[in-house]
Amino acid sequence: MTYPEQGDLDRLLDDLTARLSCVRHAVVVTAEGLPRSRSADLTYEQAEYFCALAAVLHNLARTAGSHFGVGNARQSMIELDHGYLVIAAIGTDACLAVLTEEGAAMGFVAFEMNRTVRRLARMLSPA
């Protein structure tokens, strides 16, 4: 089993935040809530908090899907007063979470997140 270099994951998130100026922060979080990768604009402590929050919210969505028999959570979005928190599953062991600014074009954000999730899934899958 081989794993991607940490820098490769971080660069992928930095690329996402560079392409989408409305994305303030991006993290890859494990199912346990631990930071796997973070965009450069986040300190490690900020990433830890963001990851713990994203993991709890994603797990809540997964639990709701299971309880009501409608399947796994693939993506969750929370509208905030001045932005959006969007969480997308990367298989069953991780997810990508982003925090956007107010007025973000959410269709474009979702499209770019899904593209990034596919790339991350290939990078994080066992070789």
Side-chain angles (χ1 to χ4, degrees):
M1 186 179 297
T2 60
Y3 295 99
E5 294 293 325
Q6 185 63 44
D8 293 339
L9 294 174
D10 292 346
R11 278 189 291 280
L12 188 58
L13 295 185
D14 289 339
D15 179 58
L16 177 65
T17 60
R19 281 184 287 119
L20 297 173
S21 61
C22 62
V23 172
R24 294 176 55 189
H25 307 299
V27 293
V28 174
V29 57
T30 67
E32 296 81 20
L34 301 172
R36 182 66 177 90
S37 182
R38 61 188 165 100
S39 54
D41 55 332
L42 286 171
T43 66
Y44 187 78
E45 291 77 22
Q46 291 170 322
E48 282 184 314
Y49 182 81
F50 190 15
C51 287
L53 178 70
V56 167
L57 292 171
H58 186 66
N59 192 43
L60 180 63
R62 287 176 54 178
T63 301
S66 175
H67 177 79
F68 293 107
V70 293
N72 285 324
R74 292 186 291 176
Q75 190 172 44
S76 303
M77 180 178 74
I78 298 174
E79 183 177 1
L80 305 165
D81 285 339
H82 303 289
Y84 295 90
L85 171 60
V86 187
I87 306 162
I90 307 169
T92 58
D93 297 327
C95 60
L96 169 66
V98 302
L99 182 65
T100 75
E101 295 177 349
E102 187 174 17
M106 293 311 298
F108 191 58
V109 170
F111 173 80
E112 289 295 333
M113 281 186 71
N114 287 327
R115 228 174 84 171
T116 302
V117 162
R118 286 192 299 275
R119 290 177 68 189
L120 286 164
R122 286 192 301 270
M123 293 172 78
L124 295 172
S125 66

